[in-house]
Amino acid sequence: MSSAIPIPTDSPDLIRIPVEQMVSVVEQILVKKSLFQFDATVAAQRLVEADLYGIPSHGCGRIRELVSAIDCGDVDPRARVLIVDENDVLSVLDGGRALGHLAATKGVEAAIAKAKSSGVGISCIGNSQTLGALSVPLRMASENGLIAIGFSSTGGATVAAPGMTTGVVGNAAFAYVIPRKDLPPIVFDSACGVESWGKLNLLKRFGVSMPNDFAFDSEGQPTSDIDAAATLMPLGGELGFGLSFLGSILAGPLVGGQMAIRKKGTDSSDDSQHFVIVLDIGHFTEADRFHKRIDVAVEEMKEKAKEGDREFRIPGERGADCFHEYSTTGIPLHRSILEEIKQLAQSLNVDDSF
């Protein structure tokens, strides 16, 4: 199986936009589409953070898609995300078909509060929409010195089981964020298929095709054409399939949703569900010892990599580098995405000033 496809970072089609400018434009667009100011600010921040951490497939380039979902009634711009049941460790939330970025933010905040008091906080979020990059809201836990683990289920059955050519599970997102003392957190964020559909659509803008062992077309034949792809292979074979199956259950029937194979509509017409666990390290062990043991292990891993003259990066290091660079130099957007945002802004009488 081929490795994940890198997004080009040196393309002449990339244009840098200052972070504050990007936040302002996206926020204004969402307000124009009837979101409350507070909600627009939160959603814009989550979208921009995805870009800042090097996940452009789930960043501001998705704003037109989100606006379309509002326009067709799949997203309620004035919805309230409500906690419908809770106890000392658990919060069950109704996403109200608001933007998933808002539901996920409230869900993680609720889990953080429970974890701080009980050691464990769990949020189950149903009746939601796609939340973008799952690791982005989970990072709020690491900012509080907490561990966060999550699944998100959006869309129908587009990932095959090993040996099959048709989709039976969804391309669930799986992510975790682990804080480190005085260092950027460890962050892992991946689709359970070989790639996310959002990333494949972004790669298409750069003229990048897929390896022939990534996807099947509607006839069950291998294809390298992103437009023809109907079903993705699971990441790592049985591992990706098993993780996606678990994600489809925890972020599915457990929160009042359907398994992916039962979803027949579009990603926005069918609802999305999310499942989050937050852990307070101090309730399990002594925090300084926890961090020291991780730091020592990471250093040992890096030393072994040097012996083999290989590059080694732990999950989250690339995202931290992107955040540091883009915060200063601006967010790199494909020129076609920038043009779409400008057109959308102008149609809503938003001053884009790009």
Side-chain angles (χ1 to χ4, degrees):
M1 179 78 56
S2 301
S3 59
I5 313 168
I7 296 173
T9 57
D10 57 355
S11 169
D13 287 321
L14 290 173
I15 299 173
R16 301 267 181 168
I17 303 299
V19 176
E20 297 79 7
Q21 193 174 357
M22 196 72 252
V23 171
S24 175
V25 171
V26 173
E27 187 176 310
Q28 290 179 69
I29 288 173
L30 293 175
V31 168
K32 288 283 189 176
K33 299 310 295 185
S34 298
L35 267 75
F36 294 107
Q37 180 64 57
F38 178 83
D39 290 349
T41 300
V42 171
Q45 193 62 44
R46 296 291 92 84
L47 287 165
V48 170
E49 285 170 351
D51 283 313
L52 282 172
Y53 286 112
I55 318 174
S57 54
H58 293 72
C60 295
R62 304 293 286 272
I63 185 65
R64 187 178 66 168
E65 177 183 323
L66 298 178
V67 167
S68 295
I70 293 172
D71 288 343
C72 72
D74 290 340
V75 168
D76 181 355
R78 292 266 164 165
R80 299 290 81 194
V81 181
L82 302 175
I83 295 178
V84 296
D85 193 13
E86 65 178 331
N87 56 34
D88 289 346
V89 299
L90 173 66
S91 299
V92 179
L93 295 94
D94 185 326
R97 297 192 73 79
L99 288 178
H101 309 75
L102 303 176
T105 296
K106 185 164 184 176
V108 173
E109 288 174 341
I112 288 171
K114 302 289 186 185
K116 284 183 175 180
S117 62
S118 301
V120 177
I122 301 174
S123 285
C124 300
I125 309 163
N127 193 30
S128 184
Q129 286 284 350
T130 180
L131 52 67
L134 178 56
S135 61
V136 167
L138 295 187
R139 283 178 180 272
M140 293 189 296
S142 70
E143 292 165 3
N144 285 267
L146 309 172
I147 295 171
I149 306 166
F151 279 102
S152 180
S153 177
T154 297
T158 59
V159 174
M164 296 181 65
T165 60
T166 56
V168 291
V169 293
N171 198 8
F174 169 65
Y176 61 77
V177 180
I178 300 171
R180 298 185 71 189
K181 191 173 182 180
D182 303 322
L183 290 168
I186 298 168
V187 181
F188 180 85
D189 190 342
S190 177
C192 293
V194 286
E195 285 289 6
S196 72
W197 288 105
K199 184 176 176 183
L200 290 176
N201 287 328
L202 177 59
L203 289 167
K204 185 168 60 176
R205 294 179 186 265
F206 290 96
V208 177
S209 60
M210 299 181 297
N212 226 20
D213 58 353
F214 265 38
F216 300 101
D217 62 20
S218 59
E219 303 299 321
Q221 297 301 310
T223 182
S224 60
D225 182 355
I226 293 173
D227 285 326
T231 303
L232 295 175
M233 291 292 289
L235 181 64
E238 293 181 355
L239 176 61
F241 171 71
L243 277 176
S244 194
F245 206 139
L246 176 61
S248 295
I249 293 171
L250 297 181
L254 189 64
V255 295
Q258 292 277 9
M259 296 289 285
I261 201 167
R262 300 292 297 167
K263 295 182 178 182
K264 305 301 181 182
T266 63
D267 287 358
S268 61
S269 62
D270 282 324
D271 60 346
S272 300
Q273 303 84 35
H274 324 295
F275 181 84
V276 175
I277 301 175
V278 175
L279 307 173
D280 186 339
I281 297 164
H283 278 75
F284 292 82
T285 187
E286 200 276 316
D288 284 341
R289 180 173 59 184
F290 171 85
H291 290 298
K292 183 176 180 180
R293 288 185 172 179
I294 290 178
D295 291 346
V296 169
V298 169
E299 286 305 313
E300 186 172 345
M301 294 175 191
K302 292 189 174 184
E303 286 301 318
K304 287 187 176 294
K306 289 178 182 177
E307 293 172 7
D309 196 25
R310 295 178 178 272
E311 182 183 12
F312 173 77
R313 308 184 81 180
I314 64 169
E317 286 188 339
R318 187 188 71 84
D321 289 345
C322 288
F323 186 89
H324 177 74
E325 178 187 347
Y326 299 163
S327 295
T328 303
T329 64
I331 295 170
L333 291 178
H334 192 280
R335 64 174 65 252
S336 65
I337 291 176
L338 183 59
E339 185 59 34
E340 290 172 3
I341 295 174
K342 290 178 69 172
Q343 291 176 2
L344 179 59
Q346 291 166 6
S347 71
L348 296 171
N349 293 318
V350 168
D351 180 15
D352 57 80
S353 299
F354 290 137

